[in-house]
């Protein structure tokens, strides 16, 4: 029987605004949040007040969006942002994404272990292989084949873990009287190399309170599953419904077993977007307000493509004509389309259909705190996940509404802990201590 109170929640901070591209314009929000560390710190402290296990920062080393009408999607620099946050919080885990394709293991090992020591054992690294052309161009290269990216990722993660272990526990003697700072028999080179990468070591950083940072993974296919099964304690995933989430989680767990690990040590966290208000109607209004701050032209045509009918932005405030409704059908390749079709058939305007969040990357619940908690309970209890990577629609009030209204319901239902289990991210997640490579 799984520990029902151990639901894992990762709060995604992104560029400081929330997942909705109009969030930066919300009245009461901070349009400078991207560059204002005070805003990040406030969100982090709010999440910590809710006993949320970790903050999570996605990151791609490229601009990726046209900033004319919307802000960036990732923080200026996730490691620096989390270092600032580390000094202003005490318990919450700090997870950042860094690419194994566009970095070197030594730098990544050093940055994360330093963050882990600075934060007293709260760091996590989401290792991704990044298949983004704009990112590749920033490093003067092309996107490599999936095989190459994942072969390199294996070497990369192993080197990082070996470097983390290269300064052994107990190496730092700090014997002021005898003048012995450290025992060099316990700080040794690793001298490891592979097809793509190598490093000599050692890394000049001692263990943290959790030994070394916790590894996360987000990626696709069989290769991604292998990476998760071998190294990850947390997986950020993007299933859209319970059957696909269950199937994916089962594959991750089987991969862990294949590599001799306890499957309970790998927590699968699908992304989820809550839009919270006192009533469902108000939540839809909130989303419509957010939609009003962005250009929906692209979303309207995307919805049309999902349903196999041409839709025009000029018709956004009208229901689909009977003629179009006759031809509209759910795209079997897209798990989001049945719900889109259902709402269209109810005679909703295109704007209202979009406000229900039918074409977001992750599932959306626009509703009351109870409805949000119901969604989370259903997924969690049915074994579709071990928790969630929450993307608030707009963070400035979305994080506090989640903490103040949804968390107490989850706690009352016995799904979420009432306090941190310890002081480190490993303790919050209930994953084993690890130092160096897993042998
Ligand atoms: C849920 C999820 C989140 C991801 N987040 C990031 C990210 O923040 N930065 C990044 O560079 N890649 C990210 N990736 C991309 C993966 O690294 C990978 O490039 C992508 O899944 C496509 O390639 P693949 O299926 O060949 O792995 C993410 C992937 C998934 C599934």
């Amino acid at each position: 029987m799984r520990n029902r109170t151990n639901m894992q929640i990762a709060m995604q901070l992104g560029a400081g605004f929330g997942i909705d591209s109009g969030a930066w314009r919300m009245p009461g929000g901070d349009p400078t949040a991207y560059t204002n560390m005070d805003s990040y710190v406030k969100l982090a402290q709010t999440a910590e007040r809710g006993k949320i296990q970790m903050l999570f920062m996605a990151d791609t080393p490229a601009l990726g969006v046209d900033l004319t009408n919307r802000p960036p999607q990732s923080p200026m620099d996730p490691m620096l942002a989390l270092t600032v946050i580390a000094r202003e919080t005490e318990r919450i885990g700090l997870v950042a994404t860094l690419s194994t394709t566009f970095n070197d293991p030594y730098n990544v090992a050093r940055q994360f272990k330093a963050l882990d020591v600075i934060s007293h054992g709260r760091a996590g690294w989401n290792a991704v292989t990044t298949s983004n052309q704009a990112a590749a161009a920033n490093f003067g290269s092309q996107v490599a084949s999936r095989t190459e990216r994942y072969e390199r990722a294996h070497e990369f993660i192993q080197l990082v873990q070996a470097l983390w272990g290269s300064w052994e526990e107990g190496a730092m003697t700090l014997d002021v009287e005898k003048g012995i700072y450290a025992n060099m028999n316990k700080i040794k080179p690793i001298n490891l190399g592979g097809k793509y990468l190598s490093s000599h070591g050692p890394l000049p950083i001692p263990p943290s309170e959790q030994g070394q940072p916790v590894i996360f993974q987000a990626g696709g296919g069989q290769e991604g599953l292998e990476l998760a099964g071998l190294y990850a304690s947390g997986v950020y995933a993007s299933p859209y419904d319970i059957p696909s989430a269950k199937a994916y989680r089962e594959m991750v767990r089987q991969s862990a077993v294949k590599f001799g690990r306890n499957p309970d040590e790998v927590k699968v966290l699908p992304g989820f977007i809550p839009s919270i208000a006192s009533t469902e109607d108000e939540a839809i209004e909130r989303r419509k307000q957010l939609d009003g701050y962005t250009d929906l032209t692209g979303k309207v045509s995307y919805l049309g493509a999902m349903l196999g009918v041409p839709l025009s932005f000029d018709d956004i405030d009208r229901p689909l004509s009977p003629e179009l409704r006759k031809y509209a059908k759910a795209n079997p390749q897209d798990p989001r389309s049945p719900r889109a079709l259902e709402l269209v058939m109810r005679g909703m305007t295109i704007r209202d259909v979009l406000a229900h969040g039918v074409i977001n990357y992750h599932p959306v619940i626009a509703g009351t705190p109870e409805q949000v908690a119901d969604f989370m309970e259903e997924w969690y209890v049915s074994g579709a996940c071990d928790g969630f990577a929450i993307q608030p629609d707009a963070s400035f009030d979305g994080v506090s509404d989640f903490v103040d209204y949804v968390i107490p319901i989850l706690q009352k239902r016995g799904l979420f802990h009432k306090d941190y289990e310890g002081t480190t991210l490993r303790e919050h997640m209930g994953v084993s201590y690890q130092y160096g490579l897993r042998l």
Side-chain angles (χ1 to χ4, degrees), residues 3 24 101 117 139 149 170 195 237 264 269 283 363 370 374 382:
N3 178 359
W24 69 283
T101 304
V117 170
F139 296 84
R149 279 185 289 120
K195 187 166 153 195
D264 293 336
L269 312 178
E370 280 77 15
D374 288 348
S382 66

Side-chain angles (χ1 to χ4, degrees), residues 48-110:
E48 187 169 69
R49 177 159 60 75
K51 315 295 180 195
I52 285 173
Q53 283 91 350
M54 66 202 95
L55 302 170
F56 188 96
M57 292 209 178
D59 188 64
T60 302
L63 175 55
V65 290
D66 179 340
L67 299 184
T68 309
N69 301 118
R70 57 165 304 165
Q73 289 172 304
S74 308
M76 287 191 292
D77 182 302
M79 300 307 285
L80 293 177
L82 288 179
T83 309
V84 169
I85 291 169
R87 298 292 300 164
E88 305 285 339
T89 52
E90 287 174 3
R91 295 290 190 88
I92 196 160
L94 310 165
V95 185
T97 301
L98 277 194
S99 173
T100 54
T101 304
F102 303 115
N103 283 296
D104 277 311
Y106 187 86
N107 300 90
V108 168
R110 184 180 188 186

Side-chain angles (χ1 to χ4, degrees), residues 319-397:
L320 263 65
S321 66
E323 179 76 349
L324 284 182
R325 267 192 265 173
K326 209 165 78 190
Y327 289 109
K329 56 182 182 324
N331 176 352
Q333 306 299 329
D334 191 331
R336 302 168 298 182
S337 54
R339 172 136 168 89
L341 183 68
E342 181 207 320
L343 298 177
V344 158
M345 290 307 181
R346 273 202 234 157
M348 272 186 200
T349 65
I350 296 173
R351 191 185 295 282
D352 278 336
V353 173
L354 290 177
H356 281 75
V358 292
I359 62 176
N360 285 74
Y361 181 54
H362 295 306
V364 172
I365 293 293
T368 62
E370 280 77 15
Q371 286 173 306
V372 171
D374 288 348
F375 171 92
M376 295 174 78
E377 176 168 7
E378 194 187 356
W379 277 54
Y380 184 66
V381 169
S382 66
C385 64
D386 299 286
F388 300 89
I390 303 282
Q391 279 188 332
D393 52 0
S395 296
F396 80 97
D397 61 349

Side-chain angles (χ1 to χ4, degrees), residues 57-61 97 99 126 128-132 146 149-150 218-221 236-238 361-362:
M57 292 209 178
D59 188 64
T60 302
T97 301
S99 173
N126 180 33
V128 296
T129 63
T130 313
S131 52
N132 178 301
R146 184 185 244 189
R149 279 185 289 120
Y150 278 89
Y236 172 34
S238 54
Y361 181 54
H362 295 306

Side-chain angles (χ1 to χ4, degrees), residues 7 9 373 376 406-416:
M7 179 193 282
I9 300 183
M376 295 174 78
V406 180
I407 292 281
I409 299 173
L410 297 173
Q411 286 170 329
K412 209 163 146 204
R413 294 183 188 177
L415 299 165
F416 188 67

